[in-house]
Amino acid sequence: MAKVLCVLYDDPVDGYPKSYARDDLPQLDGYPGGQTLPSPKALDFTPGALLGSVSGELGLREFLESQGHQLVVTSDKDRAGSVFDQELPDTDIVISQPFWPAYLTPERFEKAENLKLVITAGIGSDHTDLDSAIAHGVTVAEVTYSNSISVAEHVVMMILSQVRNYLPSYQTVLEGGWKIADCVSRSYDLEGMHVGTVAAGRIGTAVLRRLKPFDVHLHYTDRHRLPAEVEQELGLTFHESAADLVPHCDVVTINAPLHPETEGLFGEKLLSTMKRGTYLINTARARITDPDAIVQALESGQLAGYAGDVWFPQPAPADHPWRTMPHHGMTPHISGSTLSAQTRYAAGTREILESWFAGTPIRDEYLIVDGGNLAGTGAHSYSAHR
Ligand code: NDP
């Protein structure tokens, strides 16, 4: 029987919801490109419920306990002597979400002697030290595609909110004012701008597709080029690298995983090659940037705006400089944790667990590390140090 340690964000401050804003979720037939939705044998939760917080338990308790497994759920993960650290040594399976990541460092891998499987309920397994997972023969899996469209929608929202100067204008309303000139003196149309994505995987491509009707010029870079028919359909300009792409763009959106190739990519050097007044949107991972260089670029006007929802560490401390830097549109890490996305990644987590306990293969597209190597999606999108 397995011990499953699940690290989730805290419940709402007013308590776990008793009702929701809407009564149902739209029915989806599948993901773009044909990947099927998560397909566990059953679900023990109502789609649209808050599953990602401690009381939501990703809807897993009944399923796990009915099979004799133990489920421990906590939000206490970072302080010395946290519940996470106390429970880890005899845990078989760790589950956490990138929004409230259980950082599985090399030191924690050393202590987690029973650990066999790490699941990201969501996408992006960089909070797990993949080199350690490879060295310890631990399998790492994530629910590929579960929240890619959720994030793409957030990116489009943030691009528009930055370019149109939405947030300061909303603030004027809250303050009882009518300061039109103050609001519009930083407001532009997106139409005609050059927008580029660093990486055109599931999220990056979905962003490009959603922006096409805005009559913008679309650019991208990626390790693998998109099919010629997609480039033609969307009118894409391909660039060999981020360095080649950014000088051409008015808006840049980062949609690459964090791994050794992308860590620190958006530092002072790359930022200095961008057009003055570029907007940078990052919902990928904070450590793809140099945080201090972002603050300086906003203060100097090199960047006109920065928005995103990814920070390091998470949760971000109250005095994190990104909370107070000028012209930012940051949210906490929420874009991939809509109630719609939670339904999909909770179902995908259960599907992974069902496969694991049955001894049947986990879907290739969910695998990041398996059998001591990068595997599945991990082998395609990530890189290891070794
Ligand atoms: P995908 O794996 O579909 O796409 C990632 C793309 O990045 C791939 O096309 C990959 O290239 C490309 N890539 C990898 N390294 C580089 C590089 N050095 N330069 C250029 N391109 C590169 O993932 P998703 O689109 O679903 O997600 C992307 C990232 O977004 C996740 O890894 C995660 O960090 C983040 N994310 C954030 C969420 C949030 O809530 N804010 C939620 C979900 C994801 P190729 O495969 O062609 O080699």
Side-chain angles (χ1 to χ4, degrees):
M1 291 303 108
K3 174 173 172 181
V4 181
L5 178 53
C6 193
V7 176
L8 299 176
Y9 46 77
D10 289 311
D11 284 352
V13 287
D14 293 334
Y16 193 73
K18 295 185 176 61
S19 66
Y20 292 91
R22 294 180 53 79
D23 296 324
D24 57 11
L25 296 179
Q27 206 67 38
L28 303 181
D29 297 329
Y31 296 117
Q35 186 184 315
T36 55
L37 295 167
S39 49
K41 292 196 171 61
L43 291 181
D44 299 322
F45 60 81
T46 307
L50 177 63
L51 301 165
S53 76
V54 169
S55 296
E57 299 184 323
L58 293 176
L60 291 173
R61 185 167 295 278
E62 205 175 312
F63 159 67
L64 289 171
E65 291 186 347
S66 66
Q67 298 190 21
H69 303 300
Q70 184 192 357
L71 175 65
V72 177
V73 181
T74 183
S75 64
D76 182 23
K77 65 185 182 76
D78 291 326
R79 66 180 180 90
S82 66
V83 173
F84 180 59
D85 276 322
Q86 288 172 41
E87 299 285 348
L88 190 59
D90 61 346
T91 285
D92 300 278
I93 299 172
V94 167
I95 303 172
S96 80
Q97 310 165 100
F99 325 105
W100 191 264
Y103 292 109
L104 272 168
T105 56
E107 298 72 36
R108 281 177 162 157
F109 265 99
E110 289 302 326
K111 290 181 187 146
E113 288 184 2
N114 280 6
L115 190 61
K116 298 166 192 75
L117 174 64
V118 178
I119 302 176
T120 301
I123 303 172
S125 297
D126 48 273
H127 55 277
T128 298
D129 185 74
L130 297 184
D131 291 319
S132 297
I134 289 170
H136 289 257
V138 172
T139 297
V140 180
E142 61 185 45
V143 191
T144 303
Y145 234 138
S146 57
N147 54 16
S148 302
I149 302 302
S150 322
V151 179
E153 290 185 1
H154 202 86
V155 172
V156 173
M157 174 181 81
M158 288 192 147
I159 291 175
L160 287 168
S161 72
Q162 282 294 308
V163 174
R164 304 301 301 241
N165 205 35
Y166 167 59
L167 292 170
S169 307
Y170 179 65
Q171 192 61 37
T172 286
V173 171
L174 294 182
E175 288 164 359
W178 197 259
K179 299 183 291 189
I180 305 281
D182 294 78
C183 299
V184 299
S185 58
R186 291 186 69 88
S187 175
Y188 297 88
D189 291 348
L190 182 62
E191 183 183 31
M193 286 191 173
H194 288 255
V195 183
T197 176
V198 174
R202 293 170 185 86
I203 296 174
T205 307
V207 169
L208 293 170
R209 284 194 181 286
R210 277 153 185 73
L211 287 177
K212 167 92 174 131
F214 282 90
D215 290 331
V216 289
H217 305 276
L218 294 171
H219 301 251
Y220 81 102
T221 183
D222 197 285
R223 296 195 305 193
H224 300 87
R225 207 160 163 170
L226 290 167
E229 57 272 23
V230 176
E231 287 192 354
Q232 205 170 0
E233 180 199 343
L234 299 177
L236 303 180
T237 304
F238 173 75
H239 301 267
E240 288 293 338
S241 66
D244 291 332
L245 173 130
V246 299
H248 299 279
C249 293
D250 305 291
V251 179
V252 173
T253 156
I254 309 175
N255 297 296
L258 171 65
H259 59 122
E261 273 175 33
T262 56
E263 190 165 353
L265 180 63
F266 279 79
E268 196 187 336
K269 188 161 162 238
L270 190 63
L271 290 167
S272 72
T273 67
M274 297 169 95
K275 283 172 69 175
R276 192 187 79 83
T278 301
Y279 302 90
L280 183 58
I281 311 297
N282 179 12
T283 54
R285 286 296 179 260
R287 286 195 291 145
I288 296 175
T289 71
D290 170 348
D292 296 332
I294 297 294
V295 176
Q296 279 157 21
L298 286 167
E299 286 173 348
S300 73
Q302 177 62 8
L303 286 179
Y306 181 91
D309 71 332
V310 284
W311 306 68
F312 186 79
Q314 290 189 177
D319 62 351
H320 194 295
W322 283 9
R323 290 184 189 268
T324 48
M325 63 190 179
H327 311 304
H328 81 79
M330 295 298 294
T331 61
H333 196 165
I334 55 162
S335 64
S337 197
T338 57
L339 295 175
S340 325
Q342 289 175 43
T343 293
R344 291 187 293 272
Y345 66 66
T349 300
R350 173 153 172 177
E351 181 190 324
I352 291 168
L353 288 168
E354 285 178 358
S355 304
W356 181 263
F357 292 133
T360 54
I362 294 169
R363 286 195 210 198
D364 214 36
E365 62 251 34
Y366 290 167
L367 286 175
I368 302 299
V369 172
D370 194 36
N373 280 304
L374 290 172
T377 291
H380 193 78
S381 297
Y382 288 77
S383 66
H385 282 105
R386 57 189 63 223

